[in-house]
Amino acid sequence: MSVLLQKPIDYLKGVGPNRAQLLKKELGIYTLQDLLYFFPHRYIDRSQHFTPSQLPKTTAEVQVLGSITHLETVKQKRGSRLVATFSDGQNNIELVWFRGHQWIQKSLQLNKPYMAFGRLNWFGRKCSIAHPELEFFEDHKERKGNFQPIYSSTELLTKTGVSQKVTRQIMVHLFEEIGSGVQEVLPASMLQQYRLMDKNNALTTIHFPKNQEALALAQYRMKFEELFFVQLQLGLKRLHRKQHLKGIPFPEVGDYFNSFFHNHLPFSLTAAQKRVVREIRTDLKSEAQMNRLLQGDVGSGKTIVAILCMLMALDNGKQATLVAPTEILAQQHFTSIQELLKPLNVNVALLTGSVKKSARVPLLEQLADGSLQILIGTHAILEQPVTFKQLGLAIVDEQHRFGVAQRAKLWRKNVIPPNILVMTATPIPRTLAMTAYGDLEVSILDELPPGRKPITTLHRNDSKRLAIFQFMREEIAKGRQVYIVYPLIQESDVLDYKDLMDGYESIVREFPLPDYQVSIVHGKMSAEDKAFEMERFVSGKTQIMVATTVIEVGVNVPNASIMIIESAERFGLSQLHQLRGRVGRGASKSYCVLMTGNKLSLDAQTRIQTMVRSQDGFELAEVDLSLRGPGDLMGTQQSGVLPFLIANLKKDSDILKTVRYAVDEVLQNDPTLMLEKNTVLRTALALSQQGKSIWKYIG
Ligand code: ADP
Ligand code: MG
């Protein structure tokens, strides 16, 4: 970056040592460059104004035209305030100052037209503006550009006189100082092809927009740049992996796969499942390591895809592993996969934290000598002493539950990294997938197996509890089963456990032995007890399962037809969707009941209403993203991964698409960025990597 931009702000005209100190402390602005990239967070259209007679009854920030007819200091409990009567001849409002009276009083002129700007404050029919910005109407008319930037500020800055006006003035001095000396970072050919504003122009326009159109172009340019460099890094990484990371190719499709595919599939595959298997097959045939994300809504049938892929590994003499986030899920995968593969004589084993040493030792031996072909388990598999003879394929189920670090551990299970397939039912909105998972290929299961009936989702409160009990009795009489889920935000939360136990007791009272059997599963139980209770529910011995969210992911009991979620307002959207996905898996009509209190926050209302309205995982994910922001959505481990200055993953998906295209085009023609015209890219990339790198978060 240019030396000029690295200059400290202290010496900039209009700043000086005191303000410099403040800007550093309050906003983290140290250099001219920091200042340059301190973008306005919004803009006000100053082409519109009101008079005191026509004010809208809102608390918006507006411009008001009038004259000061009277000025007085009013004593209050502490100190005093300065009050100006601001009039258009018919009606008036008050302009109020609580600080800086003397200076303001001196500078104000009576009976001269001013344009006042500020937030309206209504007390009944009286209106006031506190600390307005004032400008002589004459000056206002002459000023070019009605579009005014507003910068973030802090209380201390405002108090010490660094107002919006002062900030704007500092920006003027900044541009006087730097001229148009900012380095372009995108090739000229690209500017032309994508009709991008050049960088100097864009930066100037962002701080001093002439009109809405110019501003939009400038913002587009800066967003493009920002997204471009993230995507370029990811693209380079993807290329690198393809070219240099030798994988473990599976050239053959052999007996295991063919025999299972032709003779033992329990159902015919959906078109989406077939397509995804083909996509994965293509990856696995190639020399390069596979690194693929399989996204498929709850119940879309990811497990069978996983099984088919594992058989491809076996056909090529390699081992395969499936890692699940919970013991319950691992156990369930193990049981069903073992059952399905019985006719093929495949050696499958389960490894979780609670597998006893006596069983573990021979299992690890078989794993090391290669006689154990498929290992299913929890993160226990990732631990040190677990060594495979040759692991060809690692599948991670419900990827969103794992951190990046755990994924990396899988990579290290072989000298040559195994092929990796991560599966997730939490649909990641496209924009996020393209950004955060830009180094993964993505497959999507966008079709549910046939015969699924839509789930009816209801929102109820406590007053309807008796009716719900009655409904449960009717469904149970038809042979169906019911889940009741309680929130457990933290394992250690005593109150949550109390809720759960209270709930369990009242259910047992309402549904007594010997007619009814009620199971309970929660995180404080031993793995054995959990498995025992799950098994009772799966086999239909109990009709009601009271549980915490340990059952959230993957559990498959097709006979269950009601999902009741207690305190549903405390769950996030994707979690609610996951939970609801536990029902509607069998032939019978299913229901999801969201129980909430009466008073809901606006966000909670939106979540509940969205759940009632939609069953489309992708739509829910988009709403979730807009409610929570991308950081949260990806789980706390990954929050703050992608701090964008100006791009917005919520709103800029179209730009991102173009950017992806641009990156592909560049890398196809010039994978090492050695062409003359791409020198600027190479330079900019090198510089951006000196600073904070996003690499460490990815892969
Ligand atoms: P998820 O994608 O949520 O992991 P599963 O793999 O658990 O979904 O599949 C959900 C249910 O749908 C299972 O009972 C499974 O046997 C069944 N299933 C999967 N694919 C099909 C299909 N093509 N036709 C019919 N049923 C299917
Ligand atoms: Mg699953």
Side-chain angles (χ1 to χ4, degrees):
M1 208 49 62
S2 88
V3 185
L4 178 60
L5 287 180
Q6 293 312 322
K7 273 186 32 185
I9 48 171
D10 305 55
Y11 308 106
L12 185 65
K13 198 171 156 201
V15 178
N18 288 340
R19 280 185 183 161
Q21 243 8 69
L22 269 171
L23 288 170
K24 286 176 201 173
K25 206 171 119 236
E26 294 290 291
L27 299 171
I29 296 174
Y30 289 81
T31 61
L32 297 190
Q33 167 152 313
D34 295 339
L35 195 59
L36 181 63
Y37 284 94
F38 182 57
F39 290 172
H41 67 96
R42 65 196 175 90
Y43 298 83
I44 318 163
D45 183 357
R46 290 208 135 181
S47 61
Q48 229 204 352
H49 69 257
F50 301 94
T51 64
S53 303
Q54 348 146 305
L55 283 179
K57 195 104 190 186
T58 67
T59 54
E61 281 183 316
V62 297
Q63 294 191 111
V64 189
L65 177 62
S67 308
I68 297 171
T69 52
H70 179 77
L71 200 56
E72 68 178 321
T73 307
V74 181
K75 282 257 175 286
Q76 35 184 58
K77 252 192 207 144
R78 259 189 239 150
S80 60
R81 63 179 192 271
L82 180 66
V83 180
T85 308
F86 195 60
S87 158
D88 59 8
Q90 293 178 320
N91 289 293
N92 58 55
I93 63 172
E94 283 184 349
L95 307 179
V96 188
W97 291 265
F98 300 95
R99 303 174 292 272
H101 300 181
Q102 284 189 348
W103 180 77
I104 293 163
Q105 201 156 11
K106 246 187 275 168
S107 62
L108 289 180
Q109 295 187 21
L110 290 183
N111 303 315
K112 248 192 106 166
Y114 276 101
M115 191 64 91
F117 173 79
R119 188 173 296 288
L120 297 181
N121 244 325
W122 288 93
F123 295 97
R125 305 182 61 186
K126 290 195 75 166
C127 185
S128 67
I129 300 178
H131 289 259
E133 282 181 35
L134 284 173
E135 190 176 31
F136 287 125
F137 186 53
E138 286 305 309
D139 297 346
H140 176 88
K141 277 193 300 194
E142 268 167 35
R143 192 156 44 79
K144 284 194 255 5
N146 280 320
F147 227 62
Q148 198 163 74
I150 301 289
Y151 294 91
S152 307
S153 187
T154 65
E155 207 184 320
L156 190 60
L157 280 171
T158 322
K159 256 193 198 155
T160 44
V162 187
S163 62
Q164 290 294 331
K165 208 166 167 179
V166 167
T167 311
R168 284 198 295 273
Q169 200 51 47
I170 292 175
M171 290 298 177
V172 170
H173 295 311
L174 171 70
F175 278 84
E176 279 165 9
E177 176 96 19
I178 63 174
S180 31
V182 182
Q183 289 260 310
E184 181 54 78
V185 292
L186 296 173
S189 56
M190 196 180 275
L191 296 186
Q192 203 173 24
Q193 186 178 352
Y194 298 98
R195 306 214 171 125
L196 300 172
M197 208 181 246
D198 72 74
K199 187 157 186 173
N200 277 296
N201 197 354
L203 287 169
T204 314
T205 306
I206 282 199
H207 290 286
F208 308 100
K210 294 202 176 62
N211 53 48
Q212 181 87 57
E213 290 73 37
L215 177 64
L217 287 175
Q219 287 175 325
Y220 185 90
R221 144 76 212 218
M222 294 313 296
K223 288 175 176 188
F224 190 101
E225 175 186 325
E226 191 168 40
L227 292 168
F228 182 85
F229 280 98
V230 173
Q231 290 299 320
L232 184 63
Q233 291 188 47
L234 292 167
L236 282 167
K237 192 173 181 202
R238 214 166 35 221
L239 258 175
H240 178 263
R241 201 184 57 239
K242 278 215 182 103
Q243 289 171 345
H244 302 284
L245 272 185
K246 252 182 61 113
I248 304 174
F250 300 166
E252 309 286 324
V253 168
D255 288 347
Y256 282 122
F257 184 92
N258 283 327
S259 159
F260 184 73
F261 190 80
H262 295 295
N263 308 322
H264 304 296
L265 270 183
F267 34 68
S268 42
L269 298 183
T270 63
Q273 284 169 323
K274 283 184 197 155
R275 172 173 42 77
V276 168
V277 171
R278 271 198 306 273
E279 286 167 2
I280 295 172
R281 176 74 206 121
T282 311
D283 278 8
L284 292 176
K285 255 197 299 208
S286 85
E287 294 286 322
Q289 183 225 13
M290 175 171 84
N291 198 16
R292 192 171 271 279
L293 174 72
L294 172 56
Q295 258 181 261
D297 208 345
V298 181
S300 58
K302 294 185 290 295
T303 316
I304 201 79
V305 172
I307 294 174
L308 286 165
C309 297
M310 293 198 284
L311 293 177
M312 292 181 205
L314 268 50
D315 275 336
N316 290 273
K318 305 291 188 294
Q319 295 164 297
T321 187
L322 173 62
V323 188
T326 64
E327 292 212 5
I328 288 180
L329 189 53
Q331 174 71 50
Q332 193 173 334
H333 275 323
F334 173 66
T335 313
S336 68
I337 291 174
Q338 199 181 35
E339 186 65 32
L340 280 168
L341 298 186
K342 211 175 244 161
L344 303 185
N345 244 329
V346 172
N347 189 2
V348 187
L350 174 72
L351 179 61
T352 65
S354 51
V355 170
K356 298 246 157 51
K357 198 169 175 204
S358 53
R360 183 184 284 252
V361 172
L363 186 154
L364 291 178
E365 274 170 23
Q366 288 180 21
L367 202 61
D369 72 20
S371 56
L372 180 55
Q373 295 160 290
I374 295 181
L375 181 64
I376 294 167
T378 54
H379 52 271
I381 292 180
L382 305 176
E383 297 316 317
Q384 269 301 318
V386 181
T387 16
F388 293 80
K389 178 150 186 264
Q390 197 181 19
L391 179 61
L393 171 68
I395 302 179
V396 183
D397 196 14
E398 308 298 349
Q399 140 79 12
H400 66 288
R401 285 299 193 91
F402 290 96
V404 174
Q406 283 168 314
R407 247 208 294 165
K409 277 192 186 168
L410 273 177
W411 281 60
R412 285 187 233 111
K413 281 283 160 190
N414 279 354
V415 183
I416 301 177
N419 294 297
I420 295 206
L421 178 68
V422 294
M423 309 198 294
T424 180
T426 305
I428 302 160
R430 267 190 69 77
T431 45
L432 203 58
M434 283 167 73
T435 311
Y437 295 90
D439 67 326
L440 300 178
E441 315 292 335
V442 180
S443 285
I444 297 180
L445 278 181
D446 49 7
E447 182 187 353
L448 291 182
R452 293 276 162 78
K453 300 215 173 69
I455 302 163
T456 301
T457 304
L458 308 163
H459 176 204
R460 294 288 182 268
N461 61 21
D462 249 339
S463 67
K464 287 282 153 44
R465 207 166 276 282
L466 290 180
I468 288 167
F469 287 149
Q470 184 51 33
F471 181 52
M472 285 168 63
R473 276 189 209 98
E474 286 162 17
E475 285 287 298
I476 291 171
K478 289 191 229 159
R480 310 273 172 267
Q481 289 166 285
V482 182
Y483 290 104
I484 305 177
V485 177
Y486 283 82
L488 186 63
I489 306 309
Q490 266 178 340
E491 287 295 333
S492 56
D493 200 323
V494 181
L495 267 181
D496 280 350
Y497 271 106
K498 188 174 176 313
D499 274 0
L500 172 75
M501 295 321 290
D502 288 353
Y504 172 68
E505 273 157 28
S506 77
I507 290 295
V508 172
R509 242 179 285 125
E510 202 66 37
F511 295 86
L513 293 165
D515 293 348
Y516 299 98
Q517 299 266 354
V518 183
S519 280
I520 181 164
V521 168
H522 59 75
K524 281 197 176 156
M525 290 162 63
S526 72
E528 258 161 75
D529 290 348
K530 268 191 266 186
F532 176 77
E533 286 293 326
M534 261 331 276
E535 156 42 37
R536 292 206 315 143
F537 189 65
V538 171
S539 62
K541 292 191 191 95
T542 66
Q543 296 89 18
I544 302 174
M545 162 64 75
V546 177
T548 59
T549 45
V550 289
I551 61 141
E552 174 197 343
V553 285
V555 174
N556 190 25
V557 182
N559 190 48
S561 69
I562 305 183
M563 165 62 67
I564 298 173
I565 305 175
E566 296 287 344
S567 304
E569 69 270 33
R570 292 179 56 194
F571 291 89
L573 256 180
S574 66
Q575 227 179 355
L576 290 172
H577 182 57
Q578 284 274 347
L579 286 168
R580 178 169 60 184
R582 298 308 109 211
V583 297
R585 306 190 141 224
S588 49
K589 171 105 187 86
S590 295
Y591 301 85
C592 174
V593 185
L594 306 172
M595 299 294 293
T596 72
N598 288 327
K599 279 210 178 120
L600 296 182
S601 72
L602 209 60
D603 270 14
Q605 275 175 37
T606 309
R607 285 198 299 273
I608 302 287
Q609 281 161 7
T610 310
M611 279 295 290
V612 171
R613 168 171 56 84
S614 171
Q615 225 178 299
D616 174 348
F618 282 87
E619 185 186 347
L620 293 172
E622 297 286 352
V623 175
D624 208 23
L625 181 64
S626 71
L627 287 178
R628 304 204 288 169
D632 256 1
L633 199 71
M634 296 181 60
T636 39
Q637 305 123 312
Q638 293 172 18
S639 66
V641 166
L642 302 159
F644 285 111
L645 180 64
I646 181 166
N648 180 333
L649 289 179
K650 274 187 246 169
K651 296 177 189 151
D652 297 330
S653 53
D654 285 347
I655 306 180
L656 188 58
K657 251 183 246 163
T658 313
V659 162
R660 265 296 266 253
Y661 178 83
V663 167
D664 285 349
E665 201 177 32
V666 168
L667 292 181
Q668 249 163 36
N669 297 321
D670 185 15
T672 47
L673 302 182
M674 291 316 272
L675 290 183
E676 177 76 36
K677 66 170 181 180
N678 290 329
T679 311
V680 279
L681 290 181
R682 209 171 60 241
T683 317
L685 205 58
L687 282 167
S688 76
Q689 279 166 18
Q690 280 173 3
K692 47 188 175 227
S693 159
I694 59 157
W695 290 71
K696 60 173 182 266
Y697 298 110
I698 290 162

